[in-house]
Structures are given as structure tokens and as C-alpha cells.
Amino acid sequence: DPSRVRSRAFDHLGLARAYLAVGELESAAAAGTTALELIGRLSSIRVRDRLHELLKETSPHADAPVIAELRDRILDRLAA
């Protein structure tokens, strides 16, 4: 359902944050990437806020290549 895209993106962002909390970096990156794909060009303030939160929470793992790539994708999306 196209009207639920934002809700599904929020679900994946929450999942990415949960995976980060338990150190599952690959799964966190996969969930974050799925969220970014769902978000597309969605320009919701709440989505941007959640992306900022995820970016902040990935900071401790920024040296891990999979998280560095996710952070780059998030930064690109926030800059758009």
C-alpha cells in the first residue's frame, strides 16, 4: 500500500536501531538500506529526524565498512 511507505520506512529505521543496539552491524545496515530505499524522495520532517537519529547512533561503529557505507547513504539522502 503506497500510503504506508512512511510507516514501513519507520519500521525499518527502528529495526536498524535495534540491531545496532545489540551489535548486529550487517543487519543494521541492511535494515537501514531498506528504509532508505523505501523513503526515496519522501520529504517528511519526521523521516529526516529519524535519519538524523540513526546517523547519530551509527557513530560508534563508523569505522566498520558496512556502517560507513550506510552513513554515506544517509548523509547523501539528508543533503538531497
Side-chain angles (χ1 to χ4, degrees):
D1 180 2
S3 66
R4 297 212 9 96
V5 170
R6 188 175 70 175
S7 293
R8 288 184 17 231
F10 285 160
D11 291 345
H12 283 280
L13 288 169
L15 188 57
R17 294 172 71 191
Y19 280 131
L20 277 173
V22 297
E24 295 285 339
L25 303 185
E26 293 282 335
S27 297
T33 298
T34 299
L36 288 169
E37 290 168 356
L38 287 168
I39 292 166
R41 296 278 181 221
L42 193 63
S43 60
S44 162
I45 295 295
R46 288 179 56 205
V47 167
R48 293 183 68 79
D49 288 346
R50 299 269 173 96
L51 286 174
H52 280 288
E53 290 170 4
L54 181 57
L55 186 64
K56 180 180 175 183
E57 291 176 16
T58 59
S59 294
H61 308 286
D63 291 339
V66 69
I67 296 300
E69 184 177 334
L70 175 62
R71 289 174 56 81
D72 287 343
R73 289 180 180 161
I74 293 171
L75 289 169
D76 286 346
R77 184 58 46 88
L78 290 172

